[in-house]
Each structure stands twice: as structure tokens, then as C-alpha cells.
Amino acid sequence: MKLRARLSGLALIVLGFVGFGLIYLLWSIGATLAPRPPLPPGMRPDLVPVISPFTCILPLAAIASSLLVLEGLRRTILPE
């Protein structure tokens, strides 16, 4: 029974790190995929904030991935 709990803990850790990888990938390419709003005349494009669903979802997914890693560490170190 303890072996099954430790293996499920390791699986949760791997799942959390895969989630971190996907979040980083979406964060790095998300800025290029987001539509740009029309710029006022004379304004630099890097000063205009880009509003996209990624700005809300990615931090929540990062928190969820970190909680998966923590739960996996708990199951690996202290199996029930």
C-alpha cells in the first residue's frame, strides 16, 4: 500500500512539472498570439497592455501545478 502511495506521489510530481512546462510554453508564445489593440498616433507599441485570457488563466494554472508538486512530495515522503 505504501508503494502505491509513493508511486502516485511521484506521478503527481511529474504531472506538476509537465504543467509548469506547458505554462512556460504558453506564456512565451502567448504574447505573440494575442491580438494587438489599435494604437493611438505617436504611442510606442510596447507601452500598450495586451489583454488576453492567458493573463488570467496562466497564474491560476501555475498555482495548481505547484500544489500538485507539493501534494506529490507529501505522498512520497509521508505515505498513508
Side-chain angles (χ1 to χ4, degrees):
M1 189 67 174
K2 286 187 179 184
L3 180 63
R4 181 179 291 171
R6 289 180 193 253
L7 287 177
S8 66
L10 287 175
L12 286 175
I13 292 171
V14 168
L15 187 64
F17 280 118
V18 167
F20 278 133
L22 288 174
I23 290 166
Y24 178 73
L25 179 69
L26 288 174
W27 176 73
S28 62
I29 67 169
T32 59
L33 296 177
R36 295 280 178 190
L39 294 175
M43 183 173 250
R44 292 189 345 224
D46 58 339
L47 294 178
V48 177
V50 177
I51 300 170
S52 71
F54 290 128
T55 58
C56 179
I57 293 172
L58 289 182
L60 294 175
I63 291 170
S65 292
S66 64
L67 290 176
L68 278 175
V69 170
L70 287 176
E71 178 63 23
L73 285 174
R74 187 191 67 81
R75 287 188 186 184
T76 303
I77 294 172
L78 301 170
E80 296 174 356

